[in-house]
RNA sequence: GGAGCCUUAGCUCAAUUGGUUAGAGCGCCGCCCUGUCACGGCGGAGGUUGCGGGUUCGAGCCCCGUAGGCUCCGCCA
């Protein structure tokens, strides 16, 4: 037996007991005579004391111990001499006086220290197993575990059944780029790794499972971000004979259970709801961060007859004039103004007009075009006060909203409104439903309509006539997202369960009848064999855990993440393979990768 | 595909406007130290300043290119 206790369990009551501990040498304090070792395991620290007068042999060996050596000690739990107790340590009343020391494994000097935040992320990644020994990441892994367990326990309590679906799956034309796996048995053919278990879970509804969930690995071969990895985990949920309300309440219950288990926090349910239209109109985003104000204000009424041509022109063309008021931001620097102008242009604005309110004066080249009445109306509508800074968008609705939405977020960052390093116990967990998404979005690149959510999403019943008459931009979907503090953490929809409607949807998306059969034949067939009405939702589990842990990147809540370029620096994957493996698969690498 | 920031010792960082032999703390090695808890003290080793080119009497610093890392845009049904 290596140990009788972990390194966080010995207390005053254990004094005199014979104990064994095992773990890593966290730090040594070698006084030449007496030697102190802080022994660490995943639970905590215990001080081990070697004294020459007690055991000269052991003390001599203890002199050789270094950082992260793995050792086992057996001996007696003793009271610390009065005055040397350490109140900062749970085990600070006691120490272990060993009669035995086994050095289980020596450690080389470490590539980076474990007691400070390393800056060099690729160094951390190449030695990820060391990085994970650091308390922060070790804590994150355990929070993640608790969140996953709470998910399973809660959904189980609600009658949901966890079903695994295939990883070797089939490529579908819609959506993200697939990871492909070549087939050996059918040379030239490929499996695809699932972007989501979407079709399988719908087929499980046809199978009569009624309530399904899965903590599912998903794969998307797209470029990475701080909150996007090629391989990630979803909490996937689907239920039959349900309305959106029932999905909403299961979701709220589940998230409440997760936050209770992970942080012992009671989140506020039910969540507020906002339609897509309102979200974009008020916050310039379909995943609004409502933790600070600065809402978009419509100024159409004020400038309808304005002499300021830019605003008037936008309105006459059927667009909008909107503004945000950044309170106390009149001190904006030239660099900041330039950056915001860049952002505005990048997202389709022709430029960025802003007004600084300084010393009672409105400072901006555009102010001279405003009438007194317009100024007065602005003042009241935007609640303008000394020190404010106003930013305007005059454009098509979509562009004006998006630009101001982006500016709003960047300005909030500049003003540090988001409290960058938020503590996990931060009280402002702002959950929100965004509903009534458009069913379609226009792809200028492909010159066709695409499904905004996915091709199996139902149109809202009241919008069915619009769908039938092909007024695609106006059709709303029975689709919804969950947003937490401005991060989209989940989304779902009611699905199409009627084969005729599904065919019409495919038609609208420009998928030929032949392609429908080859790509979705199994689903269309299933819809003809007794498919119940159904719908569901899926959550980005990594993102939820990231927010719970107060991390800025999902890499910090994954054990072995990939870097920016989708590489695992520890195993050095992807890597070349033996030519024989390629031969078995009937694959010949192209000489010129640009082919 | 594009933009920005970054790259100096094992790690974290410093190095006036371009100017002598590129420094510090931690770690590492050696010596000393019997109640510390980030123990302490003395000494030592350790650098092609990511790489390649250019400007210059002289480049860690300026310019060009390139590699890598991170962040963002595009992309992510």
């Amino acid at each position: 037996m290596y140990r009788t206790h972990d390194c966080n369990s010995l207390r005053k009551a254990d004094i005199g007991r014979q104990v064994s501990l095992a773990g890593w040498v966290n730090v040594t304090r070698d006084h030449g005579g007496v030697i102190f070792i802080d022994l660490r395991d995943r639970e905590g620290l215990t001080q081990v004391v070697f004294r020459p007068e007690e055991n000269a042999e052991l003390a001599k060996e203890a002199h050789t111990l270094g950082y992260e050596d793995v050792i086992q000690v057996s001996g007696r739990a003793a009271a610390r001499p009065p005055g040397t107790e350490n109140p900062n340590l749970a085990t600070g009343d006691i120490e272990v006086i060993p009669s035995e020391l086994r050095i289980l494994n020596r450690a080389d000097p470490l590539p980076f220290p474990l007691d400070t935040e390393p800056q060099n992320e690729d160094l951390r990644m190449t030695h990820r197993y060391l990085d994970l020994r650091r308390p922060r990441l070790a804590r994150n892994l355990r929070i993640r575990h608790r969140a996953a367990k709470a998910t399973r326990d809660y959904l189980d309590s609600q009658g949901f059944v966890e079903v695994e679906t295939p990883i070797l799956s089939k490529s579908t034309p819609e959506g993200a780029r697939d990871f492909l796996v070549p087939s050996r048995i059918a040379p030239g053919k490929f499996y695809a790794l699932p972007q989501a278990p979407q079709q399988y879970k719908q087929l499980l509804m046809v199978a009569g499972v009624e309530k399904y969930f899965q903590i599912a690995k998903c794969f998307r071969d797209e470029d990475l971000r701080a909150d996007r990895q090629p391989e990630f985990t979803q909490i996937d949920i689907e239920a039959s004979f349900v309305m959106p309300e029932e999905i909403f309440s299961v979701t709220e219950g589940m998230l409440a259970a997760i936050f209770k288990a992970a942080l012992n926090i009671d989140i506020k349910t039910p969540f507020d709801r906002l339609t897509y239209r309102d979200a974009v109109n008020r916050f310039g985003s379909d995943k609004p961060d409502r933790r600070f104000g600065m809402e978009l204000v419509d100024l159409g009424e004020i400038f309808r007859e304005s002499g300021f041509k830019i605003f008037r022109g936008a309105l006459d063309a059927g667009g909008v004039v909107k503004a945000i008021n950044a309170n106390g931001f009149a001190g904006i620097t030239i660099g900041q103004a330039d950056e915001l102008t860049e952002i505005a242009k990048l997202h389709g604005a022709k430029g960025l007009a802003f007004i600084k309110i300084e010393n009672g004066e409105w400072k901006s080249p555009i102010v001279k075009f405003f009438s007194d009445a317009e100024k007065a109306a602005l003042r009241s509508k935007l609640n303008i006060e000394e020190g404010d800074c106003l930013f305007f968008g005059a454009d098509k609705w979509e562009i004006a909203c998006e630009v101001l939405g982006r500016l709003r977020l960047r300005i909030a960052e500049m003003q540090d409104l988001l409290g960058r390093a938020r503590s996990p116990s931060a009280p402002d967990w702002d959950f929100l439903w965004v509903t009534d998404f458009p069913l379609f979005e226009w792809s200028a690149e492909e010159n066709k309509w695409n499904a905004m959510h996915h091709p199996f999403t139902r149109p809202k019943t009241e919008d069915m006539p619009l769908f039938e008459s092909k007024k695609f931009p106006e059709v709303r979907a029975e689709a919804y997202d969950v947003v937490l503090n401005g991060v989209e953490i989940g989304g779902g929809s009611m699905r199409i369960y009627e084969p005729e409607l599904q065919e019409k949807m495919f038609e609208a998306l420009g998928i030929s009848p032949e392609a429908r059969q080859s790509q979705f034949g199994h689903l269309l067939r299933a819809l003809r064999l007794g498919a119940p009405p159904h719908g569901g939702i899926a959550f980005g589990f990594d993102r939820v855990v990231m927010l719970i842990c107060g991390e800025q990147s999902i890499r910090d809540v994954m054990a072995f993440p990939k870097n920016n370029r989708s590489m695992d620096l520890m195993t050095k994957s992807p890597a070349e393979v033996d030519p024989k493996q390629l031969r078995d698969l009937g694959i010949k690498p192209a000489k010129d990768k640009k082919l």
Side-chain angles (χ1 to χ4, degrees):
Chain A
M1 195 165 72
Y2 282 103
R3 55 185 174 185
T4 56
H5 295 78
D6 66 56
C7 292
N8 194 26
S9 55
L10 294 175
R11 299 289 185 273
K12 259 186 189 143
D14 298 300
I15 288 168
R17 202 184 286 264
Q18 277 297 120
V19 299
S20 296
L21 299 175
W24 289 263
V25 173
N26 198 62
V27 67
T28 68
R29 292 178 293 277
D30 186 340
H31 289 236
V34 67
I35 303 152
F36 301 96
I37 304 283
D38 284 347
L39 188 63
R40 185 195 76 237
D41 64 14
R42 66 175 209 183
E43 305 301 335
L45 294 175
T46 299
Q47 174 165 285
V48 179
V49 185
F50 295 91
R51 279 190 297 233
E53 66 270 24
E54 296 240 1
N55 190 329
E57 198 63 19
L58 273 196
K60 200 179 160 200
E61 219 184 347
H63 283 300
T64 71
L65 291 173
Y67 285 105
E68 299 303 306
D69 286 343
V70 183
I71 64 170
Q72 180 204 0
V73 292
S74 298
R76 139 178 81 82
R80 291 195 181 192
T84 67
E85 301 88 352
N86 185 348
N88 301 319
L89 217 54
T91 59
D93 285 331
I94 59 93
E95 57 197 16
V96 169
I97 317 275
S99 52
E100 229 184 291
L101 164 67
R102 280 176 69 198
I103 298 172
L104 302 172
N105 221 343
R106 300 262 187 199
D108 286 347
L110 303 180
F112 56 86
L114 302 187
D115 58 353
T116 56
E117 277 302 301
Q119 288 304 302
N120 198 336
E121 196 165 350
D122 46 331
L123 189 72
R124 290 172 54 196
M125 288 302 169
T126 51
H127 303 272
R128 186 60 166 177
Y129 41 84
L130 273 186
D131 202 20
L132 292 172
R133 265 184 223 164
R134 295 167 47 231
R136 197 180 104 206
L137 292 203
R139 177 202 69 146
N140 290 355
L141 285 187
R142 292 177 80 170
I143 288 178
R144 184 179 177 121
H145 160 74
R146 282 204 293 276
K149 178 165 161 39
T151 300
R152 289 204 164 89
D153 290 347
Y154 177 79
L155 291 174
D156 174 66
S157 78
Q158 301 298 304
F160 285 79
V161 177
E162 185 166 18
V163 181
E164 291 160 273
T165 55
I167 295 295
L168 295 178
S169 180
K170 186 179 177 181
S171 178
T172 50
E174 301 278 314
R177 191 177 296 111
D178 286 315
F179 280 101
L180 297 177
V181 179
S183 163
R184 174 181 58 83
I185 293 174
K189 295 192 175 173
F190 294 84
Y191 301 98
L193 305 183
Q195 298 175 24
Q198 182 59 36
Q199 292 187 51
Y200 290 110
K201 71 172 172 177
Q202 290 191 235
L203 293 165
L204 285 171
M205 294 303 101
V206 183
V209 170
E210 295 194 23
K211 291 179 169 185
Y212 145 93
F213 85 100
Q214 181 179 193
I215 297 185
K217 268 294 180 77
C218 303
F219 307 86
R220 294 177 190 176
D221 190 5
E222 297 291 350
D223 287 346
L224 285 72
R225 291 284 189 282
D227 63 352
R228 269 167 34 192
Q229 284 269 307
E231 178 179 356
F232 63 102
T233 303
Q234 283 190 347
I235 302 171
D236 195 40
I237 296 175
E238 195 79 6
S240 298
F241 309 115
V242 292
M243 308 289 272
E245 290 301 327
E246 290 160 273
I247 298 296
F248 291 177
S249 71
V250 166
T251 290
E252 288 161 357
M254 182 188 81
L255 286 168
I258 289 173
F259 273 73
K260 188 71 184 172
L263 294 175
N264 198 26
I265 281 175
D266 296 300
I267 62 172
K268 182 177 154 283
T269 59
F271 305 158
D272 289 346
R273 296 180 197 179
L274 217 51
T275 64
Y276 171 86
R277 175 90 201 168
D278 286 343
V280 173
N281 219 15
R282 288 174 52 193
F283 299 97
S285 170
D286 62 358
K287 44 180 186 194
D289 191 336
R290 304 188 302 174
R291 290 173 299 168
F292 57 97
M294 220 194 297
E295 286 193 29
L296 280 56
V297 177
D298 194 282
L299 306 175
E301 282 173 40
I302 298 179
F303 292 107
R304 178 71 53 203
E305 307 293 333
S306 178
F308 183 34
K309 288 207 180 83
I310 306 223
F311 286 4
R312 177 71 180 273
L315 291 167
D316 287 348
V320 296
V321 174
K322 294 168 94 76
I324 51 177
N325 182 359
N327 299 122
F329 199 49
I332 180 173
T333 66
I334 291 172
Q336 287 173 327
D338 287 348
E339 186 187 334
L340 295 175
T341 304
E342 275 309 304
I343 291 173
K345 286 181 177 168
L346 195 61
H347 292 94
K350 285 144 206 110
L352 178 62
F354 64 98
I355 302 176
K356 298 193 282 186
I357 317 297
E358 264 179 332
N359 306 322
E361 233 184 294
W362 291 27
K363 294 185 177 168
S364 170
I366 66 169
V367 173
K368 59 177 176 283
F369 299 111
F370 294 170
S371 69
D372 286 344
E374 285 166 350
K375 279 200 210 171
L378 272 181
R379 186 183 296 279
S380 79
K381 200 138 197 196
L382 287 165
N383 295 315
I384 294 170
E385 289 176 15
E386 172 66 20
D388 289 353
C389 191
L390 321 176
F391 297 85
F392 294 85
D395 221 310
K396 287 192 292 196
W397 180 75
E398 292 84 356
I399 291 179
C401 291
E402 163 146 32
V403 165
L404 289 176
R406 300 255 179 190
L407 294 179
R408 177 177 175 271
L409 287 176
R410 187 68 191 108
I411 292 166
E413 258 174 44
M414 287 172 171
Q415 297 194 104
D416 204 20
L417 298 180
L418 300 176
R420 300 179 67 80
R422 293 156 39 70
S423 90
S425 59
D428 49 345
W429 296 103
D430 181 41
F431 289 91
L432 174 70
W433 287 105
V434 178
T435 64
D436 296 359
F437 279 82
L439 186 60
F440 296 99
E441 63 188 345
W442 178 252
S443 167
E445 198 182 320
E446 298 167 273
N447 198 39
K448 73 179 201 72
W449 291 101
N450 281 340
M452 189 159 187
H453 186 50
H454 58 51
F456 318 114
T457 301
R458 294 187 79 69
K460 273 182 97 77
T461 305
E462 57 263 46
D463 287 357
M464 209 60 92
L466 293 168
F467 180 74
E468 295 288 350
S469 57
K470 304 202 160 126
K471 290 181 177 153
F472 293 149
E474 295 169 47
V475 185
R476 289 168 303 166
E478 201 72 86
Y480 33 80
D481 278 357
V482 192
V483 175
L484 171 53
N485 293 350
V487 177
E488 179 198 329
I489 60 169
S493 63
M494 293 294 117
R495 326 297 185 190
I496 296 169
Y497 59 89
E498 310 92 318
E500 300 76 19
L501 182 56
Q502 187 64 69
E503 290 274 13
K504 278 183 194 161
M505 185 68 190
F506 285 145
E507 190 188 342
L509 297 173
I511 301 173
S512 71
E514 298 73 35
R516 284 174 228 168
Q517 272 314 310
S518 70
Q519 301 294 341
F520 301 107
H522 54 286
L523 183 73
L524 289 168
R525 176 74 174 142
L527 294 184
R528 294 186 181 282
L529 295 172
H534 61 285
I537 191 164
F539 299 86
F541 183 61
D542 313 277
R543 283 188 191 173
V544 173
V545 177
M546 172 184 85
L547 292 170
I548 287 174
C549 291
E551 295 289 357
Q552 307 286 326
S553 165
I554 61 172
R555 292 189 298 273
D556 287 333
V557 298
M558 301 175 106
F560 299 104
K562 311 258 187 300
N563 76 355
N564 237 355
R565 295 196 304 147
S566 242
M567 297 205 282
D568 177 346
L569 295 175
M570 186 180 67
T571 64
K572 297 192 178 62
S573 80
E576 312 223 307
V577 296
D578 192 300
K580 179 174 181 311
Q581 291 177 285
L582 293 180
R583 270 203 306 281
D584 283 349
L585 296 166
I587 287 180
K588 199 184 278 180
K591 288 262 182 327
D592 180 4
K593 284 185 186 138
K594 297 232 161 74
L595 256 181

